Amino acid sequence: MAATSGAREVFGTRAGFILAAAGSAVGLGNMWRFSYQASEGGGAAFVLLYIGMTIILGIPLMLAEFSIGRAGRRAPVGALRKLAGPGWGRVGWLFAVGPLLILSYYSVIAGWTVRYAIESIATGFPEEAAEHFGRVATGQGAIAYHVGFMAATLAVVMAGVKGGIERASLILMPALFFIVVGLAIWATTLSGGAAGYRVYLQPEISALSDPAVWRAAAAQSFFSLSLGMGAMITFASYLERTHDLPESATIVSFTDFGVAFVSGLVVFPVIYSLGLQGAVSESTVGALFIALPGAFESMGLVGHVVGLFFFVVLAVGALTSAISLLEVVTSSVIDEFGVPRKAAAVGVAVTAAVLGLLPATSLDALGLMDKIAGEFALVIGTLLIAIVAGWVARGTVTDELLAGTSPFWRRQVPRIVLAIRYVVPVLIVIVLVFSSGETVKAVRDFLGG
Ligand code: TRP
């Protein structure tokens, strides 16, 4: 059925939408950021806290985005304008600028994962892993892989919601689940991995008294679930009203958590069986792109194969997330300026590729962009969404949550709305207070150093 002019594209299947949303959520945030935060935040204590945050913050916020998107049937700018008025529409541009910035550095990191996947079988990883990462992370090579990755993302988004995003998600997501589980099973065979499981799975309760751990758990759940940047608004704008939103949000959130948790079951035993824990606490990127390749290399042939799968999973996760980031911005350009999809997607991808030249030449710039766009702007975004869904357009949002919903979830809707109105904004403001301090400090350090 050809789309008539003016008709909005739609997802073809329920699984297609759920896997596309899960594809947005599952990404570099799960595979690495999660393990790193867990090791900093008391292992299983962090994991439990994270589950709690996902339930009381993540799922309600995802539902806020889903219902704004489906009720508005527009990309974030148009959806907010329709539900909350022209002022909110202008604020909605945050949900185009933010994802554009995230996409620009996310694609640089994704480029590294593609390069590592290729190197793991083509050449193996060099002995001096840290020097190698230094050469790979910035400069011409980094730019080339960044641009190549952006081109792949663009190819999917140009093909449209059903023919591109849905089709890619239906193939890539099952492949990703399969490989991550396979890697976790393989990791159980490592001698000396027990120490890793212990650190990961034994709760260190004292970590819970540290407010920084709570903030980290909340911020991690926003980033990992792709909240606060309008990605879920955009995907839901391509949904029919017969779709059960609360059930989908629950499935997507727990899938995201599941992949993060299982990734930890790969990363921890590998790192500990090779005695590399020092490298983990040194830096996030360091452990992923320095310690793990070193570990794989020391395992000989098996390490090459495992390394290949590991970095392929990272690249696939990054691709489905980048697709959602490119789609949010593209979709606002299509809706607001009436530009055809292909032209809009090319324009946005080229802009993001050019912006990415900065993080592709400076790791400091990359870190700063992550703090500003990937953490601070994203927390602001979640607050705006909670205000619109819980206060400004509460009636519309409540109707939307009930439409197409099964009796069990219909009974939960009043509770979900209460969470969106009171619990979520209060917790976000607390997170924001901590994040602002850190962001200001990061900007100062960047300018001063
Ligand atoms: N959730 C992705 C990850 O875990 C990153 C991501 C994709 C994202 N789309 C987003 C983050 C939108 C915030 C907003 O890697």
Side-chain angles (χ1 to χ4, degrees), residues 23-30 99 102 106 220 222-231 256 317 321-322 324-325 328 374 378:
S24 171
V26 172
L28 299 168
N30 301 61
I102 296 182
Y106 200 83
Q220 171 65 13
F222 297 155
F223 185 85
S224 188
L225 294 171
S226 299
L227 299 171
M229 282 291 132
D256 184 66
S321 298
S324 78
L325 288 163
V328 190
L378 193 139

